Amino acid sequence: MEDTVIPRPTPASLAVQGTQARFPVRRIYCVGRNYAEHAREMGDTGRTPPFFFGKPADVVLNVADGAEGVLPYPPATSDLHHEIELVAALGSGGRDLTVDQAASAIWGYAIGLDMTRRDLQAEAKKAGRPWDTAKGFDHSAVLGPVHPVSSTGSKTSGAISLTINGQPRQSGDLSDMIWSVPEAIAYLSTLFELKAGDLIFTGTPAGVGAVVVGDRLRGEIDGLGALQVRIG
Ligand code: MN
């Protein structure tokens, strides 16, 4: 590899269930408001085209299967929110994918938490400013291991839930998505050329809310095990 004038950053990667090999992360895309009940709680009505935002790839906090991760409470917020989400990990990409091609591009799935500084997001919305500070802070993409689609099958239904300190906070079903995962990926591919290594957070069910230091979050999705993290 050629010399660099500063140390070369280590690319983010995720553990893969059932192997020591890792899944390298290229980009992180997120779908906004993709469950009807959550869209309503955030003020939307009806089926509008999906919209997207991003997080830097290196904000990944990967928690090993069966472990409890620690998410440091981030600065500049007093309203840190949890959003439990199904995450699709792409094994291939392209532009202007059909829905079938988008489905075939999925290499695997993970449980993710799209952590959000909701107070900064509310200020940004009010002022018509970007969401980066609300969504793209360090450790804001909490992820369990990637489960290969070869073992999980296509995830179009199944329970998705989050508890905090054992109390239910978010629950829904993957079949409640306004835009299915392949539909969202197909739409995204009209905006960006997608590539292997891209992660797509596919939206969160209703029940988002604030966490505080010491809280223990446990996210579950049928067939993907559990993602556990403590707010440090
Ligand atoms: Mn989200």
Coordinates of all heavy atoms in Angstrom, one line a residue, residues 143 182 189 220 223:
L143 N -24.8 -1.3 16.1 CA -25.1 -2.5 15.3 C -24.7 -3.8 15.9 O -23.6 -3.9 16.4 CB -24.4 -2.3 13.9 CG -25.0 -1.3 13.0 CD1 -23.9 -0.6 12.2 CD2 -26.0 -1.9 12.0
P182 N -36.5 -3.8 -0.1 CA -36.1 -3.7 -1.5 C -36.6 -2.5 -2.2 O -35.9 -1.9 -3.0 CB -36.7 -5.0 -2.1 CG -36.8 -5.9 -1.0 CD -37.2 -5.1 0.2
S189 N -31.2 3.8 -5.0 CA -30.3 3.6 -6.1 C -30.6 4.5 -7.2 O -29.8 4.6 -8.2 CB -30.3 2.2 -6.5 OG -31.5 1.9 -7.3
E220 N -34.6 -6.4 19.7 CA -34.7 -7.7 19.1 C -35.4 -7.6 17.8 O -36.4 -6.9 17.6 CB -35.5 -8.6 20.1 CG -34.8 -9.0 21.4 CD -35.6 -10.0 22.2 OE1 -36.1 -11.0 21.6 OE2 -35.7 -9.8 23.4
G223 N -35.3 -13.7 14.4 CA -34.3 -14.4 13.6 C -33.0 -13.7 13.6 O -32.0 -14.3 13.0

